[in-house]
Amino acid sequence: MKTQPLRKDNHCLNCGSEVPERFCSRCGQENTVQHETFGHLVGHFVADIFHYDSQLLLTLKYLATRPGLLSKEYWAGRRVMYVNPIKLYVFVSFVFFFFFFTLANGPDHEKNRHAVNRQAEMESSGLTNINVNGLDSEYKSVAEYDSIQAALPENKRNTGMDGRMQRGMAKLRENKKEAKEVLKEMFSHNLPKVMFILLPLFALLMKWSHRRSKMVYADHAIFTIHFHSFLFIILFVGLVLRYFFRSQTPLDLAYWGAFGYLVLGLRNAYKQSFWKSFIKASLLSITYLFVCVTVFVLFVVGVLSFY
């Protein structure tokens, strides 16, 4: 590609700083003449595409095959050759949830396939069963709830969030056949938002489990982002195989693969023994599972209060 000629004026058009050579040392903009040829524009476009593709391929390669390496590289300041962790997470999570909802809403290939897929998706997020009969509500319908509340003295009626939640549960119990699907639908479509709550919580668990190290919270957050990016990838593979083979085995293997990746990631990134990493990964997994369930319960309670 032909090099674009430099401007005679050595002051950056973007920030006004003096440009001693070709690129501004302050903002990075190239100090070239502004009337670019079409061929030069196309060349820039192609170069940017291939540069990002090479970054992405290298990042995905190391993410999948070298647990903990990307975090170590980021901590050491070697960052230009890899995709930024946040951009990586946004890209991977977008692809995951896109296909997640595609599998959830795609056409059935045979009888009852839709029900099987929905169950697989809930299992992928740890939500294997929702017992609507077990909801803590004594009211069987909205009409019954409203009638009983109206008959009570004003100071004894349910108010605020508790009242809204009780009414929401009564509405679900009114039609038990749709209740499970309603909760599953609410959960699956809000799962990306829930993950943004879980990510910083996992990073806190990482900081707690490595509290003797000199690393700050942001360092553990980088490892958290890389781990969850891999988690989405392996769950994506497990979900696709689960969809086509109608077997729970690929998804089970994905969960165990994620755990093994966490063990190796902790060992490689934090430079600790295998068994120490294994124990920490086990404690992290158990605690994180409890945190996920707690966040989900709070989420359901919050949704039901406005249902």
Side-chain angles (χ1 to χ4, degrees), residues 80-139:
V80 175
M81 67 179 68
Y82 309 111
V83 176
N84 178 273
I86 295 178
K87 289 183 179 179
L88 175 67
Y89 175 82
V90 170
F91 172 76
V92 172
S93 62
F94 171 80
V95 173
F96 173 80
F97 287 116
F98 175 79
F99 284 97
F100 181 91
F101 296 130
T102 300
L103 292 179
N105 301 313
D108 296 336
H109 296 288
E110 54 185 276
K111 190 176 182 180
N112 294 330
R113 172 63 66 90
H114 183 69
V116 172
N117 294 338
R118 298 293 295 176
Q119 181 65 22
E121 289 145 21
M122 291 305 104
E123 290 169 349
S124 73
S125 58
L127 181 62
T128 58
N129 186 28
I130 298 177
N131 185 5
V132 179
N133 294 319
L135 290 173
D136 184 19
S137 177
E138 56 186 285
Y139 307 102

Side-chain angles (χ1 to χ4, degrees), residues 4-277:
Q4 192 76 356
L6 295 175
R7 295 173 59 247
K8 294 181 179 180
D9 186 353
N10 64 346
H11 287 86
C12 179
L13 290 172
N14 184 57
C15 66
S17 300
E18 185 175 349
V19 185
E21 297 181 3
R22 190 173 193 87
F23 295 92
C24 176
S25 59
R26 183 175 181 182
C27 69
Q29 178 166 295
E30 193 174 13
N31 191 35
T32 57
V33 296
Q34 298 309 296
H35 300 290
E36 297 180 301
T37 64
F38 178 75
H40 194 262
L41 290 174
V42 173
H44 261 306
F45 174 75
V46 173
D48 289 343
I49 290 291
F50 279 100
H51 175 67
Y52 180 77
D53 282 349
S54 63
Q55 268 190 328
L56 182 61
L57 290 175
L58 182 65
T59 302
L60 292 177
K61 173 186 173 182
Y62 287 146
L63 180 69
T65 62
R66 304 280 297 276
L69 175 66
L70 291 179
S71 298
K72 285 176 61 179
E73 292 285 273
Y74 191 91
W75 296 337
R78 294 185 287 270
R79 306 172 182 179
V80 175
M81 67 179 68
Y82 309 111
V83 176
N84 178 273
I86 295 178
K87 289 183 179 179
L88 175 67
Y89 175 82
V90 170
F91 172 76
V92 172
S93 62
F94 171 80
V95 173
F96 173 80
F97 287 116
F98 175 79
F99 284 97
F100 181 91
F101 296 130
T102 300
L103 292 179
N105 301 313
D108 296 336
H109 296 288
E110 54 185 276
K111 190 176 182 180
N112 294 330
R113 172 63 66 90
H114 183 69
V116 172
N117 294 338
R118 298 293 295 176
Q119 181 65 22
E121 289 145 21
M122 291 305 104
E123 290 169 349
S124 73
S125 58
L127 181 62
T128 58
N129 186 28
I130 298 177
N131 185 5
V132 179
N133 294 319
L135 290 173
D136 184 19
S137 177
E138 56 186 285
Y139 307 102
K140 306 301 181 183
S141 67
V142 175
E144 179 184 352
Y145 173 81
D146 291 341
S147 176
I148 293 175
Q149 289 296 306
L152 291 173
E154 189 171 346
N155 62 341
K156 292 187 178 181
R157 295 175 186 174
N158 291 330
T159 58
M161 181 174 289
D162 180 61
R164 292 194 298 268
M165 186 177 68
Q166 290 285 346
R167 197 174 193 277
M169 289 189 292
K171 188 175 182 180
L172 287 178
R173 290 175 67 90
E174 192 170 352
N175 194 336
K176 295 177 183 178
K177 291 183 179 180
E178 295 182 0
K180 282 188 177 183
E181 290 303 316
V182 169
L183 288 177
K184 289 178 181 179
E185 194 73 16
M186 288 189 298
F187 180 78
S188 62
H189 283 282
N190 286 278
L191 184 57
K193 300 174 186 176
V194 174
M195 287 306 303
F196 275 104
I197 299 175
L198 294 175
L199 281 173
L201 293 178
F202 188 89
L204 280 176
L205 294 176
M206 288 291 302
K207 182 172 175 57
W208 171 79
S209 63
H210 296 84
R211 55 191 178 277
R212 293 183 179 179
S213 69
K214 297 180 180 179
M215 305 180 74
V216 298
Y217 175 80
D219 296 329
H220 302 299
I222 294 300
F223 181 88
T224 296
I225 292 172
H226 283 140
F227 170 68
H228 280 78
S229 297
F230 176 80
L231 181 63
F232 280 134
I233 292 175
I234 197 169
L235 285 180
F236 168 75
V237 174
L239 274 175
V240 171
L241 295 177
R242 172 70 169 81
Y243 179 83
F244 286 107
F245 294 102
R246 300 184 64 186
S247 170
Q248 179 63 23
T249 302
L251 209 51
D252 292 337
L253 292 176
Y255 288 130
W256 284 109
F259 175 76
Y261 185 92
L262 179 59
V263 174
L264 296 177
L266 291 176
R267 186 191 67 174
N268 297 336
Y270 290 88
K271 299 179 181 179
Q272 53 196 22
S273 68
F274 174 83
W275 288 111
K276 189 174 183 179
S277 300

Side-chain angles (χ1 to χ4, degrees), residues 276-294:
K276 189 174 183 179
S277 300
F278 180 84
I279 293 173
K280 286 188 176 182
S282 300
L283 293 174
L284 280 168
S285 299
I286 294 172
T287 309
Y288 192 45
L289 178 61
F290 173 77
V291 169
C292 291
V293 172
T294 302

